Amino acid sequence: MNTEAIPKQTVLVAVGVIENGAGDIFICRRGESQHQAFKWEFPGGKVETGETVPQALARELEEEIGIRVSACAPFMRIEHDYGDKQVILDIRKVTAFEGEAHGREGQPSRWVPRAELHRYDFPAANGAIVRKLQEKK
Ligand SMILES: Nc1nc2c([nH]c(=O)n2[C@@H]2O[C@H](COP(=O)(O)OP(=O)(O)OP(=O)(O)O)[C@@H](O)[C@H]2O)c(=O)[nH]1
Ligand SMILES: [Mg+2]
């Protein structure tokens, strides 16, 4: 069988950039059984059939970090091919939320000053997100 003829799996992912009053950004560490294991990430997950990106983001952030998103705005969109998997990251800035962000699934998590974000090991697709967050405003 010619495996090159099989279209690579492409997934649309809703990703949240969450900032607190001090200007720090919330990140989590991916688990051992996940794609891009042990890398740090901005929380989020796959958009399911019938969902909009904001709906998926709200669901994922409630499940993963226990916050209720009340407003978000488009931040950037990134397409990346990992070889084994192709992703489209639709990144949204979470502009209003309720609750205390925490690793609700037991994953390590922390608030990080923007200027320190580049010290964390993120998946390759995330480079442009980190650079944009560190641009002078
Ligand atoms: N959530 C998230 N996913 C990212 C980021 N960067 C990045 O390349 N991805 C990729 O996006 C894809 C989907 O994200 P995900 O694994 O969080 O999706 P999910 O929560 O629905 O996962 P699950 O299937 O483990 O329950 C993964 O292949 C992951 O490697 C990021 O900053 N945050
Ligand atoms: Mg996820």
Side-chain angles (χ1 to χ4, degrees):
M1 189 168 158
N2 178 8
T3 51
E4 280 170 44
I6 299 173
K8 213 171 281 173
Q9 182 196 4
T10 300
V11 289
L12 175 61
V13 185
V15 174
V17 169
I18 306 148
E19 191 175 2
N20 65 14
D24 298 340
I25 306 290
F26 193 74
I27 62 172
C28 298
R29 207 180 66 151
R30 297 180 63 81
E32 65 174 337
S33 62
Q34 292 184 294
H35 184 242
Q36 295 291 302
F38 301 126
K39 301 269 185 183
W40 288 87
E41 66 166 8
F42 302 100
K46 292 183 272 298
V47 178
E48 290 173 3
T49 309
E51 266 183 342
T52 64
V53 171
Q55 284 169 346
L57 185 66
R59 176 183 52 73
E60 288 285 348
L61 297 193
E62 167 101 59
E63 287 171 7
E64 294 186 353
I65 63 168
I67 65 168
R68 289 167 303 284
V69 176
S70 28
C72 67
F75 184 70
M76 71 192 302
R77 197 175 158 103
I78 295 169
E79 294 187 23
H80 187 85
D81 190 345
Y82 283 110
D84 57 338
K85 189 172 179 179
Q86 202 165 326
V87 296
I88 301 171
L89 304 181
D90 194 327
I91 302 120
R92 306 273 161 149
K93 181 84 195 294
V94 174
T95 48
F97 66 94
E98 289 165 28
E100 289 284 325
H102 62 285
R104 198 179 171 191
E105 297 174 324
Q107 74 277 36
S109 65
R110 60 181 67 172
W111 290 101
V112 176
R114 281 176 188 239
E116 290 175 20
L117 278 174
H118 65 277
R119 296 188 192 164
Y120 288 82
D121 188 19
F122 286 97
N126 288 42
I129 311 174
V130 171
R131 281 194 297 279
K132 184 162 174 177
L133 286 169
Q134 293 188 327
E135 277 169 10
K136 289 272 172 283
K137 279 190 285 187

